[in-house]
């Protein structure tokens, strides 16, 4: 599954500025459009960890490999593979106490290895070379993150015309219990780069990842034509020259004085009042840690879930657990160093990009006329944003993960969804051909006819964020601030009622299970009741849901006590998991969470009823939520922010720059 | 109430480019920060209407005044005032049939005049000079839009220290039935420009707008200290020099080839595939009309409602109906020409601004690796937006109204809320002083202590948009596309259920009354069932709610049949209205709306529990909703959009430009 990010074609000129900045070079003119590979760190051989949370270096991964090669577990000639080699993060208290200049806590690697069909979780001490064999935190029937390679992609079919690959896994029957099986579907590649729009409908193969054999070929045999490739190619190169018309002039963000953030020691991002540790991760994509002044210890995408809505044989198994199954990753300007299945390190270049953004929005404003006798007032502050972006192309879908930091203390995780729809073939070329029963009900299509013989299937996307908030320290509480309609007493007021804020502190996990309610509105605060503001309010941050799709059978927000082993909402092993090691199971223990070190989980959802505008490639749809200070600051933290002045702004000409 | 907009301090350099563009001048270098008054049209004496919907010109308003001055109604020496002089829009069909080059339909003015305490609605034919006296569309007890002036602001108090003004009106008792009364509250202006933070709590005056007399002084006499002015001033000039530190470098949007839109005949905006008529309005602020290809005939802010949550004597009346009572308006680059109370025209400069925006977002993208045997694919298109902005400072609040047009056909109305909170005085300086009853319940404060002696009161904001959609013509239907969980039949599928889209066409208005439901999800489409796409889907647009506050007693979406007289959701006369002429009343008639010319109403809400970060000025909070094409286009309308190329981007230096 391809994971190629392309700031290179999207020409974020401000990113390019950032790029030069990142590597402490101020080259002018800046190549706007074809950033070269990193001028330094390209081989990463000289990388050394500077922070307790820094990811494993290339050299450290090599050491893990050599250490394991001599380990008894791998001494035999048994087939084995490493599925994950990542930093075993030091104890949270060690990290919180650590200060720059201190020695790093002992460096350890956490390894998931498969030998035959067994999964092992190992810890490798990088200083002593000692190997610990650990039990997986909760024993479940599940499989490690899969590491794909081309060897499984061609089950004997002619690759010049047809491409077959596993769309997803998921739980589909008993025969998989003891082996790693995957469903494979085939597409015609003739005539378009967008083969996803040419499904060979009804044909699916059941494939054994271990024996690399096809166990079952299922062809429902319906005479469903393969859709035409017309109008499916989205590459600019494939646009007829005469149609290559630009309807809009270019616009770019310019920073004549350079960007306002620095990245120290490769991972420490400093901007405005914010500072946080940023690192790539093969599963979560990116991880943000130690967001200070103490707000969040760690935040990342814990799980991504795309249940497909079409239950027919060739489709029911399309239940995506991408984050868990395929791992995540790509973006620009920070490289990821990961381990291949044989343990050798490789570099995923430009996996994360960081840039500042300005869209003409207003941070705050007020106008006052001279009625007060004072001179007229016109005060406005521009809203600037720091964006940390990671884009993952997971098969047909492209997920854009942005973490937007604003100067007023707000942080907005945002998920953008683009790429190609999963479609199914149909014999219908027009909606008016759809069969009706005697009551006149149309045959269920499970979606929308997007083009002749193509149905876009209705589906959802759910993304669960792990948010280990530490507001002004560890002792936090999760508070539901409920707006209740309060009747007024007779004669108290001409108003019959008013809205009253009622604070409910969650004592245990079950009280921290939240289903959003539009008509019983609440705010959701994480407060430190031990720290109060000058006028006595507990300091806090709130989770502000925005537009989201939800299911009543799931909670949108959870609060759980911090537990190092509870980070992957779908389970540490997600592949074909039965769901015994999940957020829902942990939370059912109903542990105490008042004045504790707590973790908040937020699930953001999309319902997607495809329409023709999504064909052959989807315009990005986005959803987000906010982490927002609430009595965290004594007053508006950007009260004294400067407005813009003419002298600050760039002088721009129209000449182009040669790369 | 001041209405001064200040792109001048916010330095939208792209706006400035737009500005030059608007007036067909391409000056370089562009002054980035102090746009001069319009180089042309400054007196507007030469303006002539070019489109049937163009607002009244300065000359036309003068003609209305001279015509009425000789009219019997005003011949007497009775006190009279004009409260509104606007274009009487021609019949919708005339406007739809009109094409450039045709003669304009007869120009008429609609006038609201008051003589003594009576309100009259008049129509003045500008060609014949004929005056029609019209009944207000629905007879209600209500009053016209108020036009404030300073004469009501000083009820005998010393203006050097104290400012008194009407916070709002609203329905508060019987004594107002026959006269126009308003509550006045007083603030101390010593020591800060932000007098809103120094309420003289408990003192309110009941003031007669007609007799200009104070009828009643109410002082609850509580010994509540006036809050200190410390830390309340938000002006940059008041920031101590040593604190004037810029934490961020400037960033600006640059368009070396100029903007991509044109504004023809002062009101016709053309950008990308879009074209619409844009005009200022003294009540709605701005009105967007004739958005073509037929999507929307007319859209604007119909009502703004801010119920305050504190029922105590000095507060219960703070029920804002700003849009209806104070009129709206300001922004940059399009002037508004309005009539004063005596009928003389005046120019409100720079009331609307139009600009393009780019925040580094992605319109669509996909990456594909070479697994198919094809070369690797990296396709990204930048998301550009056209923003139409109007900012209204309504007393303490600043409302930022953006209409964002995207190239993929999406249009996003967005409301940003900033400015100053309405606060009340309190004797408390710290939360720990708040009295508790014997059960330990804290005394109700109706809000949050923001600073010593200052309480920010809990309140809501509701903004209702009028959306006269005409999707591919007049015959539209409002469709609720409900996602229902469908159980599968035994053996049909390993899945127990799937989500099925069920179309429900609203036959009558009551079926068009929508309360949003998170757990019974629906999409809300306006379709033209007479027009279908190539594959047979009805062409449509959908209303996509985003994060919003809602009350169960109100609908968030309504669909009504088009009726020229039903445009102001709070009633044509809103001031002290009993609500007899409102959207709720019209909709109760339950008229037929299937395959009709229909209007959709969307109400966007905010719950606001103030926090200290809102003191002394609020960081902007925004909410929005989308109008999005759904099977309106045959395919992704920006499939062939061009990516950026290096040669397109500007070359920027750091030298500043002198204005």
């Amino acid at each position: 599954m391809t994971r190629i990010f392309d700031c290179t074609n999207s020409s974020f000129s401000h990113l390019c500025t950032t790029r030069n900045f990142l590597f402490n070079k101020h080259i002018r003119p800046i190549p706007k459009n074809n950033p070269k590979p990193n001028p330094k760190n390209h081989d990463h051989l000289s990388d050394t960890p500077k922070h307790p949370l820094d990811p494993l270096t290339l050299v450290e991964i090599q050491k893990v490999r050599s250490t394991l090669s001599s380990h008894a577990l791998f001494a035999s000639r048994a087939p084995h593979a490493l599925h994950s080699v990542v930093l075993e993060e030091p104890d949270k208290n060690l990290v919180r106490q650590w200060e720059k200049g201190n020695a790093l806590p002992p460096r350890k690697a956490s390894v998931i290895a498969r030998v035959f069909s067994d999964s092992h979780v190992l810890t490798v001490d990088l200083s002593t070379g000692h190997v610990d064999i650990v039990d997986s935190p909760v024993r479940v029937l599940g499989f490690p993150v899969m590491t794909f390679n081309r060897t499984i992609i061609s089950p004997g079919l002619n690759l010049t015309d047809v491409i077959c690959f596993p769309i997803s896994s998921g739980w589909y029957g008993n025969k998989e219990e003891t082996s790693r099986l995957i469903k494979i579907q085939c597409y015609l590649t003739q005539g378009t780069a967008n083969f996803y729009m040419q499904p060979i409908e009804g044909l699916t193969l059941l494939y054994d990842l271990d024996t690399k054999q096809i166990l079952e070929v299922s062809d429902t045999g319906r005479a469903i034509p393969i859709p035409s490739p017309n109008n499916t190619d989205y590459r600019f190169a494939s646009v007829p020259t005469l149609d290559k018309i630009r309807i809009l002039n270019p616009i770019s963000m310019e920073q004549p004085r350079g960007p306002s953030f620095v990245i120290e020691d490769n991972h420490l991002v400093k901007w405005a009042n914010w500072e946080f540790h940023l690192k790539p991760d093969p599963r979560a994509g990116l991880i943000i840690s130690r967001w200070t002044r103490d707000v969040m210890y760690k935040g990342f995408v814990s799980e991504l879930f795309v249940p497909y809505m079409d239950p027919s044989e060739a489709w029911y198994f399309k239940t995506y657990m991408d984050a868990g199954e395929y791992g995540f990753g790509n973006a620009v300007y920070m490289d990821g160093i990961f381990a291949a299945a044989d343990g050798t390190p490789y570099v995923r270049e430009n996996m994360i990009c960081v840039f500042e953004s300005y869209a003409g929005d207003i941070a705050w404003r007020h106008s006052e006329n001279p009625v007060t006798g004072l001179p007229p007032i016109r005060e406005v502050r521009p809203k600037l944003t720091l964006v940390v972006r990671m884009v993952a192309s997971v098969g047909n879908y492209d997920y854009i993960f942005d973490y937007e930091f604003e100067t007023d203390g707000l942080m907005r995780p945002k998920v953008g969804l683009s790429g190609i729809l999963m479609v199914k073939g149909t014999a219908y070329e027009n909606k008016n051909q759809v069969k009706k029963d005697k009551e006149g009900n149309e045959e269920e299509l499970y979606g929308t006819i997007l083009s002749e013989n193509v149905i876009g299937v209705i589906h959802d996307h759910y993304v669960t964020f792990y948010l280990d908030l530490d507001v002004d320290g560890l002792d936090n509480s999760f508070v539901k601030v409920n707006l209740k309609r309060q009747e007024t007493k007779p004669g108290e007021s001409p108003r019959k009622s008013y809205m009253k804020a009622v604070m409910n502190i969650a004592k245990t996990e079950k009280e921290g299970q939240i289903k959003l309610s539009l008509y019983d509105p609440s705010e959701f605060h994480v407060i430190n009741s031990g720290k109060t503001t000058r006028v006595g309010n507990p300091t806090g941050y709130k989770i502000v849901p925005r537009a989201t799709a939800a299911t009543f059978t799931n909670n949108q927000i959870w609060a759980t006590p911090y537990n190092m082993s509870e980070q992957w909402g779908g389970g540490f092993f997600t592949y074909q998991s039965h769901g015994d090691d999940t957020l829902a199971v942990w939370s059912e223990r109903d542990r105490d969470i008042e004045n504790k070190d707590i973790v908040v989980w937020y699930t953001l959802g999309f319902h997607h009823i495809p329409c023709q505008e999504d064909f052959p490639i989807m315009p990005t749809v986005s959803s987000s939520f906010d982490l927002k200070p609430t009595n965290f600051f004594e007053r508006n933290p950007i009260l004294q922010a400067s407005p813009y002045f003419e002298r600050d702004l760039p002088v721009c000409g129209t000449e182009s720059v040669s790369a």
Side-chain angles (χ1 to χ4, degrees), chain A:
Chain A
M1 304 283 96
T2 173
R3 289 181 186 73
I4 302 156
F5 183 64
D6 40 21
C7 270
T8 47
N9 336 26
S10 64
S11 162
F12 297 95
S13 59
H14 51 292
L15 273 188
C16 301
T17 314
T18 306
R19 176 184 195 70
N20 290 290
F21 183 76
L22 265 175
F23 303 106
N24 307 311
K25 297 187 183 183
H26 286 286
I27 305 152
R28 283 205 169 280
I30 294 157
K32 290 294 192 310
N33 173 292
N34 292 309
K36 303 281 174 297
N38 304 353
K40 77 168 173 85
N41 280 350
H42 207 188
D43 59 14
H44 291 278
L45 284 169
S46 57
D47 293 357
T48 54
K50 304 283 199 318
H51 186 285
L53 296 176
D54 280 355
L56 293 179
T57 63
L58 188 138
V59 171
E60 287 174 324
I61 291 173
Q62 283 168 333
K63 179 157 188 192
V64 169
R65 182 175 190 243
S66 58
T67 305
L68 291 180
S69 62
S70 60
H71 188 275
L73 196 60
F74 305 94
S76 77
R77 315 184 98 264
H80 58 264
L82 302 187
H83 287 287
S84 165
V85 179
V86 297
L87 176 76
E88 171 110 347
E89 291 189 359
D91 178 83
K92 182 172 175 176
N93 292 316
L94 283 179
V95 176
R96 284 173 53 84
Q97 284 149 26
W98 182 87
E99 288 173 5
K100 185 161 185 169
N102 299 1
L104 294 181
R107 299 279 291 176
K108 296 181 180 177
S110 175
V111 177
I112 302 172
R114 273 178 58 80
V115 181
F116 288 113
S117 298
D118 301 328
S119 295
H120 302 272
V121 180
L122 314 169
T123 302
V124 179
D125 187 311
L126 285 158
S127 45
T128 66
H130 178 73
V131 178
D132 270 327
I133 299 188
V134 196
D135 285 346
S136 59
V138 178
R139 279 238 167 267
V140 298
L141 174 65
F143 295 86
V145 171
M146 288 171 50
T147 48
F148 273 136
N149 59 55
R150 295 191 53 173
T151 62
I152 66 162
I153 283 177
S154 169
L157 281 145
N158 176 0
L159 257 186
T160 61
D161 305 318
V162 172
I163 175 174
C164 301
F165 53 84
I167 296 301
S168 86
S169 60
W171 185 246
Y172 41 90
N174 293 326
K175 65 176 94 67
E176 296 83 359
E177 296 228 3
T178 54
S179 57
R180 297 195 308 150
L181 303 188
I182 194 152
K183 288 267 190 174
I184 288 179
Q185 191 165 47
C186 300
Y187 297 83
L188 189 66
T189 59
Q190 276 166 340
T192 181
N194 192 349
F195 55 85
Y196 296 104
M197 292 299 148
Q198 296 191 100
I200 304 174
E201 191 58 34
L203 173 66
T204 53
L205 318 172
L206 186 62
Y207 188 76
D208 185 317
L209 292 171
D210 294 315
T211 65
K212 304 206 183 328
Q213 289 180 329
I214 296 174
L215 302 187
E216 185 179 292
V217 175
S218 149
D219 189 347
T220 59
R222 288 169 287 170
I224 295 177
I226 295 171
S228 149
N230 295 346
N231 299 316
T232 61
D233 205 330
Y234 50 87
R235 294 169 301 168
F236 191 64
S238 72
V239 175
T241 312
L242 286 178
D243 299 344
K244 282 194 167 79
I245 297 160
R246 178 195 301 290
I247 53 170
L248 297 178
N249 290 337
I251 177 170
S252 71
M253 280 180 276
E254 294 297 328
Q255 298 176 284
R257 299 184 184 187
S260 306
F261 66 93
V262 295
I263 300 185
E264 293 177 355
D265 297 335
N266 299 321
H267 294 290
L268 206 60
V269 181
K270 295 182 175 183
W271 179 79
N273 304 319
W274 297 123
E275 177 179 328
F276 55 89
H277 184 275
L278 174 64
K279 69 172 164 184
D281 181 84
R283 180 163 176 174
L286 71 83
I287 294 175
I288 290 170
S289 305
R290 302 293 290 126
W291 173 18
T292 57
R293 144 186 169 205
D294 265 356
V295 175
M296 185 169 76
Y297 180 76
K298 190 176 183 183
F300 58 89
V301 173
S302 173
E303 205 47 75
L304 176 62
F305 183 64
V306 184
Y308 263 82
M309 291 294 120
D310 174 348
S312 65
E313 162 64 19
W315 275 82
Y316 72 86
F317 64 85
K318 286 194 177 62
T319 295
Y320 283 57
M321 300 279 291
D322 307 303
E325 284 171 33
Y326 302 121
F328 249 42
N330 314 295
V332 186
Y333 309 137
M334 191 179 286
D335 292 349
I337 320 283
F338 303 131
D342 66 355
T344 54
Y346 66 93
V347 177
R348 180 170 292 152
E349 276 185 18
N350 301 335
M351 188 169 154
I352 299 168
C353 61
V354 181
F355 63 94
E356 281 170 288
S357 170
Y358 171 61
D361 288 331
I362 293 171
W364 61 259
R365 80 177 306 285
H366 187 57
S367 303
E368 197 65 60
N369 73 359
V371 90
T372 67
L374 295 160
I377 298 171
R378 307 177 180 195
E379 294 282 337
V380 134
R381 299 296 180 270
K383 184 193 287 263
L384 271 60
T385 305
L386 183 77
V387 182
V388 175
R389 173 169 296 167
M390 191 268 308
V391 174
S393 295
V394 183
N396 53 304
Y397 287 117
D398 295 57
Y399 294 94
I400 303 155
F401 292 93
D402 287 350
Y403 294 83
E404 300 179 348
F405 292 81
E406 296 183 0
T407 53
D408 61 4
L410 180 144
M411 198 273 266
R412 174 169 299 160
K414 192 162 87 180
V415 179
L417 184 54
S418 188
I420 319 281
L421 277 176
M422 266 298 149
V423 303
K424 62 180 295 191
T426 175
Y428 297 128
E429 297 192 330
N430 191 296
K431 197 169 187 299
N432 60 26
Q433 299 167 336
V434 179
K435 294 194 193 68
K436 293 195 168 98
D437 62 18
K438 49 191 85 62
E439 288 81 40
N441 303 318
E442 272 188 1
E443 174 192 347
E444 179 57 29
L445 298 182
Y446 309 112
T448 310
I449 299 179
L450 302 182
S451 182
E452 290 78 1
N453 308 115
V454 179
I455 289 173
V457 178
I458 295 169
H459 61 283
D460 293 345
H461 298 259
Y462 294 103
V463 184
T464 298
F465 286 83
Y466 172 99
L467 306 164
D468 178 2
L469 298 178
D470 293 345
V471 177
D472 274 338
L474 291 177
D475 292 346
N476 287 186
S477 294
F478 180 76
V479 184
K480 184 176 169 184
V481 181
N482 188 213
L483 280 172
K484 279 282 176 210
R485 183 160 298 282
Q486 176 78 47
E487 303 293 315
T488 52
K489 301 178 201 69
E492 177 187 357
S493 159
R495 287 182 62 127
K496 290 193 192 61
S497 68
Y498 63 94
M499 294 294 274
K500 176 179 181 172
V502 180
M503 306 250 297
N504 300 306
I505 296 181
K507 300 256 183 301
T508 66
E509 286 179 283
K510 286 188 181 173
E511 293 175 17
Q513 297 177 358
I514 300 297
K515 290 186 171 62
L516 298 176
S517 171
L518 190 56
Y519 303 110
D520 181 22
S522 295
E523 290 190 352
F524 306 98
H525 297 197
V526 174
I527 63 166
N528 185 322
S529 40
K531 302 267 176 70
T532 58
T533 60
R534 195 184 71 255
V535 295
N537 295 307
T539 62
Y541 253 71
K542 61 181 175 182
I543 292 87
V544 186
R546 293 167 72 90
T548 189
T551 60
F552 192 73
T553 50
N554 298 77
N555 301 305
Q556 292 83 52
I557 304 177
W558 309 69
T560 63
Y562 171 78
N563 179 327
M564 198 168 180
S565 72
E566 298 175 3
Q567 298 196 27
W568 306 103
F572 183 68
F573 294 111
T574 56
Y575 180 73
Q576 290 181 338
S577 165
H578 281 176
D580 309 347
D581 173 34
T582 64
L583 174 56
V585 173
W586 309 326
S587 175
E588 276 308 299
R589 293 185 224 151
D590 203 23
R591 293 161 291 187
D592 192 356
I593 57 172
E594 186 175 9
N595 290 319
K596 290 270 185 304
D597 182 3
I598 59 175
V599 174
V600 174
W601 309 72
Y602 183 81
T603 298
L604 182 154
F606 303 77
H607 292 304
H608 192 174
I609 304 177
C611 59
Q612 285 178 245
E613 285 79 3
D614 296 323
F615 176 93
I617 190 163
M618 290 182 280
T620 306
V621 288
S622 295
S623 188
S624 65
F625 66 101
D626 295 345
L627 294 175
K628 195 173 182 184
T630 176
N631 305 312
F632 186 76
F633 298 104
E634 291 292 345
R635 65 185 64 85
N636 182 337
I638 49 171
L639 177 60
Q640 296 187 339
S642 168
Y644 273 173
F645 297 104
E646 180 178 338
R647 61 174 181 277
D648 302 325
L649 295 160
V651 185
C652 296
T654 55
E655 321 86 68
S656 74
V657 181
S658 57

